[in-house]
Structure formats: structure tokens, C-alpha cells
Amino acid sequence: MQVISEGVKWDFYEEVINKCSDQDILLDMGTGGGEGILKIAPSLLLLIGIDLSSEMIKTAKSNVKKSGASNVRFFQMSSEKLQFPNEFFDVISCRHAPFSSREVFKVLKSGGYFLTQQVSEADKWSLKQSFGRGQAFTKADGTLKEQYIRELSDTGFSEIKSYEYNAADYYQRPEDLIFLLKHTPIVPYFGQNNNDFEILKGFIERNITDKGIRTNSKRFLIIAKK
């Protein structure tokens, strides 16, 4: 998928590594294929990635073998019930996946950091408006961020900071946009409605630029200290 983004303010796993030392143990929730933590593995003592999907964990284990990293482990596990000792991790990360503030607090050391990047409600907003439906389409922008900040505060985190960006995305070909819509929940059940491709055609005609087909990526980052 060929896409150019302008206005991205941070790289999530660079933000994670900024909170780590080479003697730290990291938990990455919703790790997917493990690509994020594998690229920072040389900077930590031990990294553990968990994901609810058995297929994703299978992919992650294959990726760690290819990488040759000896300090990375992957497990299939729900973030709603973390099966680790209390106060075991120095840093916990979560990118675009749900989490339980209570469970994070339980397994994070005192003084440790939790970092999460999530998709804002206004992400891909022009696309959602064109289709009249979409992920979190009926929710006010900022709802999820405020919910997570409130939950983290109620759980007992002592210091909570949040950041956000709204980047411009330029998809190079219609095929790139179609791939995005078919493989993400941005527009639910894309392609199953008879007029979906006509709507997409109109969207492309209205948003084509010399850089590509424009839409947006809106993200927020929360960094919380226990």
C-alpha cells in the first residue's frame, strides 16, 4: 500500500524507547506481528508481546526467528486479564489496541510508564462523511481520549499527559485506498453495499491532488506514570 503522510508528530515506538533503559522489561499489548518491538529489541533487557489473535502470535514468532533476537517473547493473551506477576514490567506499550487500566496498573512497577497510541474518532473523516458511516462515526472527536485519561486517573496513575496530531495522508492509487477499506474497519462492510464503489469513485474525484488521493490520519498519544 503506497501512501505518503504529512504532519505526523511522533513515531510511537521511538516514544516508547525514550522511556526505557537497557535494563528494562517491556510489555507490548496488541503486538500484532511484533514488528514494533522487534525494531527496538536491542535497546532493552527483555520484551514481551501479547495479542488476542493466535494468527498474529504465529506471525510474530516467525518474525522473531527471522530477526535473530534472543530477548523477545510472544504469547497469546487478552489485555483484559494479564497473566504476569504484579509490578513486573518497567514500561508497558499499547498501539491501536484496547486495554484495561486496572490490569496495566497491576503489572506495572511503581514509577513505570504506560504509553498508548490510539485512533481518534475524526480519523479518515472525509471518507466516513462520504459513505455516511464509519468507525466511531457517531461519536464526538476526543471521546475515547477523555475516557482513557479518566480511567487511568481513576486507577491511580500519578502523571498523565496526552498529545494528538491530524496528518494528511495521500494514497497514490485507487487500489491503495481500496486495500485500506477492505482490510480495516474504517468503513464497515465496505464493498457489500451496491453503491460503495460509486461513492468511492466520487470521493476520489473530489479529493485527488498532485500528491495523491487525500484523506487524514488522526491519532492521540497518552503517556501515564504510575
Side-chain angles (χ1 to χ4, degrees), residues 126 129-130 199 201-209:
S126 56
Q129 284 184 309
S130 293
I199 293 173
K201 180 182 177 182
F203 172 83
I204 292 171
E205 290 173 351
R206 292 189 302 274
N207 292 277
I208 190 71
T209 73

Side-chain angles (χ1 to χ4, degrees), residues 56-100:
M56 285 292 97
I57 292 301
K58 183 178 178 180
T59 299
K61 289 181 176 179
S62 174
N63 286 338
V64 75
K65 286 182 180 178
K66 293 175 184 176
S67 75
S70 60
N71 63 335
V72 182
R73 303 289 184 272
F74 292 108
F75 302 100
Q76 183 182 4
M77 190 183 301
S78 170
S79 61
E80 294 294 320
K81 191 174 182 180
L82 298 176
Q83 300 168 41
F84 300 106
N86 291 354
E87 300 194 350
F88 185 74
F89 295 99
D90 299 283
V91 179
I92 299 176
S93 58
C94 176
R95 181 180 180 273
H96 300 179
F99 65 89
S100 163

Side-chain angles (χ1 to χ4, degrees), residues 44-226:
L44 290 107
L45 178 66
L46 176 65
L47 304 89
I48 297 175
I50 64 168
D51 202 284
L52 193 58
S53 167
S54 59
E55 286 301 311
M56 285 292 97
I57 292 301
K58 183 178 178 180
T59 299
K61 289 181 176 179
S62 174
N63 286 338
V64 75
K65 286 182 180 178
K66 293 175 184 176
S67 75
S70 60
N71 63 335
V72 182
R73 303 289 184 272
F74 292 108
F75 302 100
Q76 183 182 4
M77 190 183 301
S78 170
S79 61
E80 294 294 320
K81 191 174 182 180
L82 298 176
Q83 300 168 41
F84 300 106
N86 291 354
E87 300 194 350
F88 185 74
F89 295 99
D90 299 283
V91 179
I92 299 176
S93 58
C94 176
R95 181 180 180 273
H96 300 179
F99 65 89
S100 163
S101 297
R102 175 180 50 81
E103 289 293 294
V104 169
F105 192 86
K106 181 180 71 175
V107 301
L108 183 64
K109 290 180 181 178
S110 179
Y113 285 94
F114 171 61
L115 300 92
T116 183
Q117 177 180 297
Q118 300 288 341
V119 178
S120 297
E121 290 83 357
D123 181 69
K124 305 296 183 294
W125 186 245
S126 56
L127 266 171
K128 295 173 186 176
Q129 284 184 309
S130 293
F131 283 90
R133 69 184 197 274
Q135 188 178 31
F137 184 62
T138 60
K139 294 183 179 180
D141 190 38
T143 299
L144 185 61
K145 182 179 75 171
E146 293 306 316
Q147 174 192 324
Y148 280 152
I149 289 173
R150 184 172 60 253
E151 289 175 358
L152 289 165
S153 178
D154 290 346
T155 303
F157 281 87
S158 63
E159 181 181 306
I160 303 170
K161 296 181 179 179
S162 66
Y163 312 86
E164 64 179 39
Y165 68 73
N166 193 8
D169 288 344
Y170 298 94
Y171 289 82
Q172 301 303 290
R173 305 167 301 166
E175 292 85 353
D176 297 318
L177 205 49
I178 290 169
F179 183 89
L180 173 79
L181 292 171
K182 284 188 172 181
H183 292 86
T184 67
I186 292 168
V187 176
Y189 311 111
F190 171 77
Q192 294 186 21
N193 291 0
N194 292 333
N195 62 340
D196 277 356
F197 283 95
E198 282 301 312
I199 293 173
L200 181 61
K201 180 182 177 182
F203 172 83
I204 292 171
E205 290 173 351
R206 292 189 302 274
N207 292 277
I208 190 71
T209 73
D210 56 356
K211 295 180 181 180
I213 306 160
R214 178 172 176 159
T215 182
N216 76 303
S217 287
K218 190 164 188 187
R219 303 285 186 266
F220 66 86
L221 171 68
I222 298 174
I223 302 177
K225 184 178 181 180
K226 180 174 176 181

